[in-house]
Amino acid sequence: MSKYIIFDLDDTLLDFQKGEVEGVKKILKTNGVADIHQGFSTYQTINQKVWQQIESGMPRQPLLDTRFSKTLALFDIDANGVKLEAEYREMLNHNFYTLPGATALLDSLKQNDFTLFVGTNGVKKTQFDRLEGSGLLKYFDDYFISEDIGFSKPSTEFFSPIFNKYQQLTRENTFMIGDRLQSDILGANRVGLRSIWYNPNEMENTFDYQPTYTANSYDQIKQILL
């Protein structure tokens, strides 16, 4: 039976998308974008490319500081990307939305004596504030955040501090659980951990690598682990 679980946060336990939509739309509206729907779609395209670059190993903050200025430039709006990123970051720090059922899942796992870790890409203050504000922090024995580590999933270096601190972790007793194939699942594969792809929208896997398991609900995650 598995004993240790490394959990991704955003869109695995915390409802990042809800807070993202609110924050991005507010910035677009404040800066004069008339068609908010088109503006948000444009931002999503640019943001996806930014995160692909970050996950490939490029420096995080300089890339994040461009995503709003690049978006607004396509609407002929000149903006200070660094300033807007800071404003957006402050909004994210107070995004305490959890996905329905997340607390019940963590309760069940703790009752069954699992040791739970956070293993997430992101800014330390943002992720820690959200863990605290959402009430989920109490479930976790430790947390590992990419800004702290200096590497992002799927890099193998992201997992090094976890293995160094908890040398009892093995493929047989540990799972990585997350919603992103490109970071959570690929990262787990690279370091030889079993994985559960949390896929509530039943998306197709178009990549040439596979998770150990796929779960479309928290109940399925519990069935796999228990």
Side-chain angles (χ1 to χ4, degrees):
M1 180 176 172
S2 296
K3 183 178 180 183
Y4 303 99
I5 304 172
I6 305 169
F7 266 107
D8 173 58
L9 285 182
D10 290 326
D11 298 321
T12 300
L13 296 171
L14 294 175
D15 192 345
F16 177 79
Q17 289 187 25
K18 187 172 182 178
E20 177 190 39
V21 170
E22 288 182 358
V24 172
K25 286 186 174 181
K26 183 176 181 179
I27 286 176
L28 294 173
K29 184 176 181 179
T30 302
N31 285 272
V33 176
D35 188 334
I36 299 300
H37 178 76
Q38 183 184 1
F40 186 74
S41 178
T42 302
Y43 168 84
Q44 285 182 305
T45 300
I46 290 172
N47 187 53
Q48 184 179 34
K49 292 177 181 176
V50 162
W51 276 102
Q52 285 172 348
Q53 290 174 297
I54 291 171
E55 289 170 356
S56 73
M58 295 180 68
R60 165 192 305 275
Q61 199 57 49
L63 287 165
L64 294 177
D65 286 340
T66 67
R67 53 186 176 175
F68 285 107
S69 55
K70 285 182 176 179
T71 298
L72 292 168
L74 294 176
F75 295 88
D76 297 319
I77 299 170
D78 186 32
N80 184 328
V82 175
K83 178 175 176 290
L84 292 181
E85 180 63 27
E87 290 178 12
Y88 178 59
R89 182 61 49 192
E90 187 60 27
M91 295 178 202
L92 288 184
N93 290 350
H94 297 90
N95 170 15
F96 303 143
Y97 300 119
T98 59
L99 293 171
T103 300
L105 170 65
L106 296 175
D107 267 328
S108 176
L109 295 177
K110 292 303 285 185
Q111 288 169 14
N112 282 277
D113 296 323
F114 284 92
T115 299
L116 307 182
F117 303 137
V118 168
T120 182
N121 289 345
V123 175
K124 181 178 180 179
K125 178 173 172 51
T126 298
Q127 300 298 61
F128 189 82
D129 285 356
R130 293 170 67 223
L131 273 171
E132 219 169 18
S134 66
L136 297 188
L137 183 63
K138 64 184 179 183
Y139 293 104
F140 292 97
D141 297 86
D142 211 339
Y143 53 89
F144 300 87
I145 302 172
S146 61
E147 185 188 43
D148 238 0
I149 295 169
F151 296 93
S152 298
K153 293 174 292 182
S155 168
T156 58
E157 288 90 347
F158 174 88
F159 294 88
S160 295
I162 306 176
F163 291 127
N164 289 339
K165 189 171 182 180
Y166 298 94
Q167 297 184 14
Q168 65 270 37
L169 269 67
T170 67
R171 176 175 172 78
E172 287 69 36
N173 66 16
T174 307
F175 267 101
M176 173 79 221
I177 302 178
D179 69 299
R180 279 182 56 79
L181 286 163
Q182 306 98 305
S183 56
D184 305 309
I185 305 309
L186 180 57
N189 287 357
R190 285 177 172 175
V191 296
L193 288 180
R194 292 181 297 170
S195 62
I196 300 175
W197 178 29
Y198 180 52
N199 183 26
N201 297 319
E202 300 187 23
M203 297 171 61
E204 181 184 359
N205 180 2
T206 59
F207 296 95
D208 60 359
Y209 49 87
Q210 299 292 327
T212 314
Y213 299 96
T214 297
N216 299 326
S217 68
Y218 289 148
D219 282 341
Q220 288 184 8
I221 289 178
K222 285 194 287 187
Q223 288 171 13
I224 293 166
L225 294 172
L226 301 177

